[in-house]
Amino acid sequence: MFNNPFSSFHDIVADAKKEREQLDRLLTVSTPRERLLVASAALLLSVFGAWLFLGSVTQSVTVEGVLLGPDWGPPGAGRSVEALVWLEDGVAPGIEAGMPAVLELPGAEGGADALDGEVLSVSAVPPLGGTAALEAAAPLSLRRVAVRLDEEVDLSSLAGTEFRLVVDFGSRAPITLFRTGRT
């Protein structure tokens, strides 16, 4: 830049300014390697865009709770069990009757036994005497969940057992997760 001793400083600065303003020179793709890089980046972006709209993501929620025991609900409901679970306020309205569910019970030797079923009902547990204001401010709410089990199990022995409940919301396009704000 300052190699020519006979040029004025102003001429050198003007030339340097002209070189900086020619930004299109920086975006030239001239070698086959650069073309391959640009093509692979474009392919990757188009595949990601297609997956956002045409792909599917399975969404589920896992909560912990305590089994209350067998539910002798309406006739024809089959063998079902009732449980108390803590649900986040945003998740509770999303769980509906008919959704597939899995009860994960603690098994022998530290393993877990999984029982497949279906959610029958979800209802709020009324707050206790003086704790209504405290429970209204909490981000979690206590819910009573009834689950119909597909397998024959001795339900009377399950009362008081801690468990994990996995409720499957089904498959959705990934773009819907961005719209609802859930992850």
Side-chain angles (χ1 to χ4, degrees):
M1 185 167 156
F2 295 104
N3 291 338
N4 188 356
F6 299 110
S7 295
S8 72
F9 178 74
H10 294 290
D11 292 337
I12 294 171
V13 170
D15 289 340
K17 185 177 179 185
K18 286 180 187 176
E19 287 179 15
R20 282 190 303 231
E21 290 177 356
Q22 295 176 355
L23 295 178
D24 59 342
R25 287 191 330 173
L26 298 175
L27 300 176
T28 57
V29 178
S30 57
T31 66
R33 192 177 223 173
E34 291 172 348
R35 289 183 189 132
L36 181 62
L37 180 65
V38 170
S40 62
L43 179 66
L44 182 67
L45 284 174
S46 62
V47 166
F48 179 69
W51 174 77
L52 276 176
F53 292 98
L54 303 175
S56 67
V57 174
T58 302
Q59 188 176 9
S60 63
V61 65
T62 303
V63 295
E64 294 186 7
V66 176
L67 291 173
L68 297 177
D71 177 26
W72 309 107
R79 308 252 325 162
S80 61
V81 65
E82 278 195 342
L84 290 178
V85 296
W86 286 98
L87 292 174
E88 291 181 17
D89 290 335
V91 173
I95 299 176
E96 299 172 353
M99 290 184 162
V102 176
L103 286 171
E104 295 178 354
L105 301 168
E109 301 174 8
D113 295 331
L115 302 173
D116 293 331
E118 177 181 300
V119 175
L120 287 178
S121 65
V122 178
S123 59
V125 174
L128 301 174
T131 62
L134 178 65
E135 290 184 18
L140 300 174
S141 60
L142 187 61
R143 302 289 175 145
R144 181 183 300 262
V145 178
V147 178
R148 182 185 53 80
L149 299 175
D150 295 339
E151 303 171 22
E152 290 294 325
V153 180
D154 181 21
L155 298 176
S156 60
S157 65
L158 297 178
T161 305
E162 293 182 6
F163 73 102
R164 289 175 58 189
L165 177 67
V166 180
V167 179
D168 185 12
F169 287 119
S171 296
R172 301 177 182 182
I175 194 71
T176 59
L177 298 177
F178 292 113
R179 290 184 197 149
T180 60
R182 285 189 177 166
T183 55

